[in-house]
Amino acid sequence: MLLIIYFICEQQVLIMNRIVILASGSGSNAENIIKYFNNNKSVSVTQVLSNKKDAKVLERAKRLKISNSYFNRDDFSKSDKILELLKEHADYVILAGFLWKIPESIINAFPNKIINIHPALLPKFGGKGMYGMHVHNAVVENEEKESGITIHYVNENYDEGAIIFQEKFKVLPSDTADDVANKVHKLEYEYFPKVIEQVISENG
Ligand code: GAR
């Protein structure tokens, strides 16, 4: 009997939640996530995929010895190539600065398992074309008093999935868009991996 209980416990301990990261740019969040889960017993980053051949995120993944590859629009939206790859390698799909809309077939295959980070307080400054410095420029131009980060599930519309977590900071009148970007990145590095970990642990 004790032996059976031991084996059941061992099985639970050994369940590994696999993350595939999709990113289009520099990949500083991807690197932060990879490092955070390095040697984690229940979460592992298995792949980094990018829609940009020369994206810095692919170099980072290579340096960190994470399997990485590039895909084009046809692989992503017109065939099942990436869907099949994700089914094989991912329990969760993390968007870390990924700029293409996720096809419905992938959303349906990973219900509540695709998580995006957005560099503003959604629903403000979201939607098509609102990414990276475009967001921070708009925040400064609009003379916002605060901005922040939003971590949310991904649905079929840009930046409209259910919000999991938000954190704010004050935007000072003297802040430039670069200052805002730095404040955003600081919060992203602090919270994104922790929120991913929390979601995974709540799902058991
Ligand atoms: C991050 O700030 C992320 O929130 C943003 O792109 C940046 C990527 O930085 N994502 C979006 O704007 C999505 N709409 P990184 O490549 O250094 O991680």
Side-chain angles (χ1 to χ4, degrees):
M1 183 62 178
L2 269 179
L3 203 61
I4 292 170
I5 292 169
Y6 172 78
F7 278 123
I8 291 170
C9 290
E10 276 289 291
Q11 291 262 302
Q12 280 171 352
V13 168
L14 290 177
I15 288 173
M16 186 53 93
N17 294 280
R18 298 156 311 152
I19 288 177
V20 170
I21 298 177
L22 304 190
S24 304
S26 162
S28 66
N29 275 284
E31 175 158 359
N32 184 49
I33 293 165
I34 291 166
K35 285 180 173 164
Y36 184 89
F37 290 115
N38 195 18
N39 295 325
N40 189 295
K41 287 196 169 58
S42 55
V43 181
S44 135
V45 177
T46 58
Q47 303 241 342
V48 171
L49 305 177
S50 182
N51 59 328
K52 289 251 171 70
K53 220 180 225 154
D54 57 354
K56 196 171 165 198
V57 68
L58 294 175
E59 282 171 37
R60 292 186 196 256
K62 199 170 165 193
R63 175 165 43 80
L64 295 163
K65 302 195 175 20
I66 302 291
S67 168
N68 60 89
S69 55
Y70 152 81
F71 58 84
N72 63 28
R73 182 79 69 179
D74 285 358
D75 298 335
F76 196 51
S77 314
K78 292 194 183 139
S79 78
D80 285 342
K81 194 171 162 187
I82 297 302
L83 171 68
E84 292 306 325
L85 195 143
L86 291 173
K87 280 185 179 167
E88 194 179 330
H89 295 285
D91 300 300
Y92 292 85
V93 179
I94 302 301
L95 311 186
F98 183 67
L99 302 183
W100 283 356
K101 199 165 175 186
I102 306 297
E104 232 174 276
S105 56
I106 295 181
I107 290 174
N108 293 337
F110 292 89
N112 283 344
K113 298 282 171 67
I114 309 177
I115 299 172
N116 181 43
I117 189 153
H118 186 78
L121 295 171
L122 292 174
K124 280 184 158 186
F125 304 106
K128 196 167 168 32
M130 270 297 169
Y131 61 88
M133 288 310 290
H134 296 287
V135 176
H136 312 313
N137 283 325
V139 164
V140 169
E141 275 162 26
N142 248 41
E143 299 182 1
E144 293 292 308
K145 299 271 176 292
E146 58 182 24
S147 190
I149 60 167
T150 303
I151 298 169
H152 65 95
Y153 293 114
V154 172
N155 69 10
E156 58 287 356
N157 300 318
Y158 272 116
D159 302 327
E160 288 184 16
I163 291 174
I164 305 166
F165 175 88
Q166 291 187 304
E167 183 65 281
K168 299 173 186 180
F169 57 83
K170 280 199 168 65
V171 179
L172 305 175
S174 58
D175 278 348
T176 63
D178 281 334
D179 295 328
V180 173
N182 287 334
K183 289 180 180 183
V184 161
H185 267 127
K186 209 166 158 227
L187 288 185
E188 291 183 331
Y189 302 151
E190 180 174 358
Y191 290 107
F192 199 16
K194 286 183 192 157
V195 171
I196 295 167
E197 188 172 41
Q198 178 76 21
V199 168
I200 292 175
S201 86
E202 280 171 7
N203 285 338

